[in-house]
Amino acid sequence: MMRGVTGRLMLLDTASLYFRAYFGVPDSVRAPDGTPVNAVRGLLEFIDRLVKDHRPDDLVACMDADWRPRWRVDLIPSYKAHRVAEERGSGPDEEEVPDTLSPQVPIIEAVLDALGIARVGVAGYEADDVIGTFTGRAKGPVDIVTGDRDLYQLVDDARGVRVLYPLKGVASLQLTDEAWLREKYGVDGRGYPDLALLRGDPSDGLPGVPGIGEKTAAKLLAEFGDLAGIMAAVDDPKAKLTPSQRRRLDESRPYVAVAPKVVRVADDVPLPEVSTALPDAPRDGEMLEALAARWGLGGSLQRLLTTLGARRA
């Protein structure tokens, strides 16, 4: 189970990382039977580097049990709609994923389980929500590893929560803290969701408020404090809004009313009882050996095992 984690907790946005591994490692990296395993091996190499460089005490591979939760779609139907490969009446919609990546996901899951690295996905929630809930419960510092800027909202210097954003593989990471956010966006972690919903996000199918781009959103937030303050200003004839801004914000009230729940990560996910401690040795060495042989995981797995074993020294 998640013991009151007081050491450094690392939370992986796993799908974000294996997508990057898939596109960053050539698909000529294959198992003995010719099956591509570039995402598998790339993710193992990512984890090895992260453990070496950042020395977490606890680590969780957070998963998308539902990458497009119905409760978000009900509020904003366009949410991630452009990424749907097949709509399903029951259960999560099928996401558009490269043909040679999908078969690698079960291998990744099996390898993580055999290693003894905690892997957590919760029905009805995205990995972001799992990460948000773990972060809220942690007693010590938290490193969130993701290529998804949505998670900037969790950055909190007072609590030691930062985002490690891969720029190129994981050899080059952007360490995102509140100073970086203010420099880049003019907001801190708490203000980032309001900025994101105002400007919109095409990659997530969030329309935003027409005519309100990132710089304008940042100026409005600086002037009025938060989204509620901006919307209160729409009703205040003395507030410093241009006629166009006032009109567009007024017309966007239905969107603004529901967008915060869609954009903000959940912090109340019913997490399972799981040990988050980073293992020193594999949980199931025999299974891991079989997986390594079947899928040709070679040096990628061996280097990670060496790094985990070195933690005992």
Side-chain angles (χ1 to χ4, degrees):
M1 62 183 180
M2 184 177 176
R3 311 164 281 104
V5 177
T6 55
R8 181 168 295 280
L9 171 63
M10 178 171 282
L11 300 169
L12 307 183
D13 181 5
T14 313
S16 167
L17 297 180
Y18 66 58
F19 262 93
R20 283 178 176 249
Y22 175 81
F23 288 107
V25 178
D27 67 2
S28 56
V29 175
R30 296 178 176 248
D33 67 357
T35 303
V37 288
N38 51 330
V40 185
R41 291 189 60 160
L43 180 64
L44 292 173
E45 288 165 8
F46 278 7
I47 296 173
D48 174 51
R49 184 66 181 261
L50 289 164
V51 172
K52 277 179 181 169
D53 290 352
H54 300 283
R55 306 180 67 82
D57 302 294
D58 295 76
L59 187 145
V60 183
C62 301
M63 313 295 290
D64 283 317
D66 190 338
W67 66 280
R68 189 175 182 250
R70 173 51 54 186
W71 56 272
R72 282 192 167 107
V73 176
D74 286 345
L75 294 170
I76 298 181
S78 62
Y79 182 67
K80 294 186 178 179
H82 61 295
R83 287 155 55 180
V84 175
E86 180 185 344
E87 290 191 7
R88 293 175 173 165
S90 60
D93 292 335
E94 184 176 334
E95 185 177 11
E96 196 170 89
V97 177
D99 290 345
T100 56
L101 174 56
S102 293
Q104 297 188 57
V105 177
I107 305 170
I108 287 168
E109 294 175 342
V111 172
L112 291 173
D113 290 350
L115 280 165
I117 289 176
R119 182 173 63 84
V120 178
V122 178
Y125 294 97
E126 301 177 53
D128 286 11
D129 302 311
V130 174
I131 289 169
T133 304
F134 269 115
T135 299
R137 293 186 187 179
K139 308 292 185 191
V142 181
D143 284 339
I144 299 164
V145 189
T146 181
D148 183 352
R149 292 180 177 88
D150 292 343
L151 288 166
Y152 287 169
Q153 65 186 274
L154 296 175
V155 169
D156 184 341
D157 287 359
R159 296 191 56 232
V161 179
R162 60 185 185 173
V163 167
L164 309 183
Y165 184 93
L167 298 172
K168 186 175 181 182
V170 287
S172 177
L173 290 172
Q174 172 191 290
L175 271 59
T176 306
D177 58 10
E178 288 184 8
W180 189 92
L181 284 176
R182 282 190 290 268
E183 174 74 21
K184 177 73 173 176
Y185 297 108
V187 297
D188 57 14
R190 184 173 297 183
Y192 189 83
D194 289 349
L195 178 87
L197 71 85
L198 285 167
R199 73 166 182 219
D201 186 346
S203 68
D204 279 343
L206 293 173
V209 176
I212 305 292
E214 188 168 281
K215 289 182 179 177
T216 301
K219 287 178 182 176
L220 291 173
L221 288 167
E223 176 76 22
F224 301 110
D226 57 16
L227 184 66
I230 293 171
M231 298 313 293
V234 174
D235 297 322
D236 180 359
K238 296 179 182 178
K240 295 178 182 177
L241 288 170
T242 69
S244 172
Q245 289 169 352
R246 194 180 300 275
R247 175 176 55 81
R248 285 171 164 161
L249 286 162
D250 186 49
E251 291 171 350
S252 297
R253 285 183 193 273
Y255 164 73
V256 171
V258 298
K261 187 171 181 183
V262 175
V263 173
R264 293 190 176 113
V265 300
D267 59 4
D268 57 355
V269 174
L271 299 175
E273 296 291 305
V274 61
S275 172
T276 62
L278 190 61
D280 297 329
R283 174 184 294 148
D284 189 335
E286 189 174 324
M287 175 59 72
L288 194 60
E289 193 174 324
L291 288 166
R294 170 74 179 83
W295 300 111
L297 302 182
S300 303
L301 177 59
Q302 194 52 55
R303 282 187 288 276
L304 176 55
L305 287 171
T306 300
T307 296
L308 293 174
R311 298 173 67 254
R312 284 177 291 190

